[in-house]
Amino acid sequence: MAGLEVLFASAAPAITCAQDALVCFLHWEVVTHGYYGLGAGDQPGPSDKKSELLPVEWNSNKDLYVLRYESKDGSRKLLVKAVTVENSMIINVLEHGSQQVSDLTLNLNDYIDSEHLVDFHRVYKNSEELRSRIVSGIITPIHEQWEKANLSPHREFPPATAREVDPLRIHPQHPHTSRQPTWYVDIGTVRGGTWQSKVSSASAFWPEDQKKSPKDLEGTKEIC
């Protein structure tokens, strides 16, 4: 935990309460899982910069801590909020891309020794358990949901049967209904009193009382 010790040393002058020490530990855990700190507050500010250290004014509000992070490859952004409620801290994390939210509640007395806030080797209690709870309660759920949200959807179709792919298969004929299928006639121009009409589909169905086939009707008709 050498990295945490260096981080704690840089933040120690500003650590004045148990929740400060816990947020410092939380920040280190997020950073070790591939993130940079960007800044404090909900919105980007002029002092934002990618850093593994805690940002300026990170603990200006002892009841509500708001920190922003970005993954080192730039693919994910996190908004972390930690609220102090009596002797507990409720941590809420939002991943902007997937809109996935995870949360975790920790008892300050279980992990922080308020009597030794300036001594790194004595301030944290049950450090391994604290790390495990942060990873399982926040980091892992966020990463799993982000990966699911970014997987390309795949549609699976059942394999075709031999009956469906047989090119020689003759489809069953459906009985004719009383409705007459549509057939079309191309209308030509009137030239010298002659109307040229050509049936475009010789295979169309004809009314029962029609005595001539489409082939017989092809040609010209005189206009009376």
Side-chain angles (χ1 to χ4, degrees):
M1 297 173 60
L4 176 59
E5 185 173 2
V6 172
L7 173 65
F8 184 87
S10 69
I15 295 177
T16 60
C17 57
Q19 53 266 39
D20 282 349
L22 185 58
V23 170
C24 180
F25 193 103
L26 171 65
H27 172 83
W28 173 76
E29 196 63 43
V30 173
V31 167
T32 58
H33 279 82
Y35 291 86
Y36 287 120
L38 293 179
D42 293 273
Q43 302 298 326
S47 61
D48 282 3
K49 62 180 180 180
K50 294 180 180 180
S51 175
E52 294 185 353
L53 301 178
L54 283 160
V56 177
E57 298 183 349
W58 64 275
N59 63 343
S60 59
N61 186 340
K62 304 293 184 179
D63 295 321
L64 175 62
Y65 299 78
V66 182
L67 301 173
R68 286 174 288 106
Y69 298 87
E70 182 178 69
S71 61
K72 292 181 178 180
D73 61 5
S75 63
R76 298 183 296 274
K77 289 186 177 181
L78 304 180
L79 177 64
V80 177
K81 294 187 177 183
V83 181
T84 305
V85 181
E86 297 181 351
N87 292 325
S88 298
M89 176 162 279
I90 302 172
I91 303 168
N92 182 279
V93 180
L94 168 68
E95 199 284 308
H96 286 280
S98 64
Q99 291 296 296
Q100 169 68 17
V101 176
S102 62
D103 57 77
L104 176 66
T105 301
L106 299 171
N107 189 317
L108 292 169
N109 294 330
D110 290 344
Y111 304 106
I112 306 298
D113 187 343
S114 299
E115 299 297 323
H116 301 93
L117 292 176
V118 296
D119 186 348
F120 171 76
H121 298 285
R122 302 175 68 182
V123 64
Y124 294 112
K125 302 185 294 183
N126 305 315
S127 298
E128 290 304 319
E129 178 185 322
L130 179 56
R131 291 187 65 184
S132 177
R133 292 198 61 187
I134 292 174
V135 172
S136 63
I138 294 177
I139 305 297
T140 299
I142 286 291
H143 284 184
E144 288 179 348
Q145 291 300 321
W146 184 86
E147 290 171 358
K148 289 180 181 179
N150 284 272
L151 287 177
S152 300
H154 291 87
R155 295 186 61 190
E156 295 185 359
F157 297 93
T161 64
R163 181 181 177 85
E164 291 172 334
V165 300
D166 184 1
L168 301 180
R169 176 172 175 255
I170 300 175
H171 294 275
Q173 297 295 328
H174 297 285
H176 298 309
T177 61
S178 59
R179 181 179 178 183
Q180 299 294 340
T182 305
W183 57 278
Y184 302 90
V185 175
D186 296 331
I187 299 176
T189 58
V190 177
R191 296 177 179 176
T194 300
W195 173 44
Q196 293 184 341
S197 170
K198 185 175 182 180
V199 178
S200 63
S201 176
S203 61
F205 291 93
W206 289 73
E208 292 297 332
D209 58 349
Q210 180 63 51
K211 303 303 182 180
K212 294 184 179 181
S213 67
K215 184 177 180 180
D216 296 332
L217 293 180
E218 291 184 355
T220 60
K221 298 180 182 178
E222 297 295 332
I223 299 178
C224 299

